[in-house]
Amino acid sequence: MKTRYWALIAAFLVQLLYGLNFTYAKDVMAGGYMKPFGFILLRVAGATALFWLFSFLGPREKIERKDYLTFFYAAVFGVTINMLCFFKGLEFTTPIHASVIMITTPIIVLVLSSFYLKEQVTSLKIFGVILGFTGALVLSIYGKSNLEGDNVLLGNLFVFINAISYSIYIIIVKKLTYKYHPFTFIRWLFLFGLILIIPFGYNELVATQFSTFTPYITFSVLFVVVGATFGTYLLNPLALRSLKASTVTTFIYIQPVIAGIFAIIMGSDSITPVKLIASALIFTGVYLVTKKT
């Protein structure tokens, strides 16, 4: 019982850290301190170094040669496309928009699973998919941002592509997660991802003027690298050891709440009727999709 209690705390902390990530990352890019691809390269490089540094926490496992290709594909969708599109989207949209769009992931996983894993789809789940995508469409077309230079439609599109990429990643690694310990999997995933991201983010990273960083911006960058990346990937395996995967994934509903509250407090975003309606549609759609029949 005590182990389960700590696992629940770990699952909650994952979503708390990731929910705060939306506002901190947005503030760094909105202030012009870092470009999105340069920020991603710094994020992945820092997290990769930490994962390999603390790799002794996991068991020593030999990886089958054929699985390296699967790790590579997982890195393409789970790190490269996923993170590049997320930060590029966050550059143009708001923290609340991005966090709400992200919870369409279970819906996308259902659609992909029906095609690739031949999982059965009920009429109730189809209705949930329609509701979820309708909410995302309403949020993208009618949603607005308070910041100059934002393009909500384009930003939401990038975040949605990110959600699709992450969903494909989940499908790819479904079998590998049973085969290897999470620590083994994560460090190789990020190493491949780092190699793939270098060509996209190198020029933006070297052009970054780190001397212009304020203490708040420095803290924001460190939080994204250490807390929202290394911390979340480190806590997730601890939660999965004692909880079902379905239990852990239900904590994704907390993300928009945390992101919304924190963004409003920090003045990065605001609540509007359009956001509330769209969020209600997406939440209902995800509930129907994940509801057990």
Side-chain angles (χ1 to χ4, degrees):
M1 186 65 184
K2 189 175 181 180
T3 304
R4 179 179 173 82
Y5 172 76
W6 286 111
L8 287 169
I9 291 178
F12 173 78
L13 286 175
V14 167
Q15 301 308 326
L16 174 64
L17 291 170
Y18 208 76
L20 298 178
N21 166 62
F22 291 95
T23 297
Y24 283 126
K26 177 68 176 181
D27 287 347
V28 173
M29 291 183 291
Y33 293 97
M34 292 195 76
K35 293 290 184 180
F37 289 175
F39 198 176
I40 283 297
L41 178 55
L42 180 63
R43 177 188 185 183
V44 174
T48 302
L50 290 172
F51 286 131
W52 280 89
L53 182 64
F54 289 94
S55 61
F56 67 89
L57 295 174
R60 293 184 177 274
E61 295 178 314
K62 184 177 181 181
I63 299 175
E64 292 185 28
R65 184 174 296 181
K66 64 177 183 180
D67 289 333
Y68 280 107
L69 185 60
T70 308
F71 280 120
F72 174 78
Y73 289 141
V76 169
F77 291 102
V79 177
T80 311
I81 298 176
N82 171 33
M83 292 190 181
L84 290 176
C85 286
F86 174 71
F87 268 56
K88 194 66 177 177
L90 195 57
E91 181 185 24
F92 295 117
T93 191
T94 72
I96 293 178
H97 279 241
S99 60
V100 171
I101 294 292
M102 276 298 296
I103 65 170
T104 60
T105 299
I107 297 176
I108 300 169
V109 170
L110 173 76
V111 175
L112 293 175
S113 296
S114 65
F115 285 102
Y116 295 102
L117 301 180
K118 305 301 179 183
E119 293 184 2
Q120 185 178 2
V121 180
T122 64
S123 57
L124 187 65
K125 292 184 184 295
I126 293 174
F127 181 60
V129 170
I130 294 172
L131 279 182
F133 286 148
T134 301
L137 197 61
V138 168
L139 194 64
S140 299
I141 295 175
Y142 298 103
K144 296 180 180 180
S145 172
N146 299 326
L147 296 176
E148 293 184 9
D150 276 0
N151 185 333
V152 169
L153 181 60
L154 179 62
N156 286 357
L157 177 61
F158 274 118
V159 175
F160 187 66
I161 294 173
N162 149 67
I164 293 174
S165 178
Y166 185 73
S167 302
I168 295 173
Y169 155 76
I170 291 175
I171 300 297
I172 292 175
V173 302
K174 191 172 184 179
K175 292 181 179 179
L176 287 179
T177 53
Y178 295 109
K179 192 172 182 179
Y180 299 107
H181 189 277
F183 282 99
T184 303
F185 169 73
I186 292 168
R187 66 173 184 261
W188 282 103
L189 175 73
F190 269 78
L191 181 60
F192 283 129
L194 175 61
I195 296 170
L196 292 169
I197 286 174
I198 287 174
F200 294 95
Y202 178 77
N203 290 333
E204 290 188 0
L205 182 60
V206 296
T208 301
Q209 300 294 322
F210 291 98
S211 60
T212 64
F213 282 20
T214 64
Y216 171 74
I217 294 300
T218 301
F219 171 79
S220 298
V221 172
L222 289 174
F223 179 87
V224 171
V225 175
V226 181
T229 309
F230 177 71
T232 56
Y233 277 86
L234 191 64
L235 288 169
N236 243 334
L238 299 178
L240 287 168
R241 284 180 180 180
S242 303
L243 300 174
K244 293 181 179 179
S246 58
T247 303
V248 175
T249 53
T250 56
F251 279 84
I252 196 173
Y253 296 110
I254 301 172
Q255 269 190 33
V257 179
I258 295 171
I261 293 173
F262 191 67
I264 292 170
I265 292 174
M266 299 296 291
S268 301
D269 208 344
S270 60
I271 294 291
T272 64
V274 170
K275 292 176 185 177
L276 290 174
I277 293 170
S279 299
L281 288 171
I282 294 174
F283 269 84
T284 305
V286 173
Y287 169 74
L288 294 176
V289 165
T290 56
K291 180 178 173 63
K292 291 183 179 180
T293 56

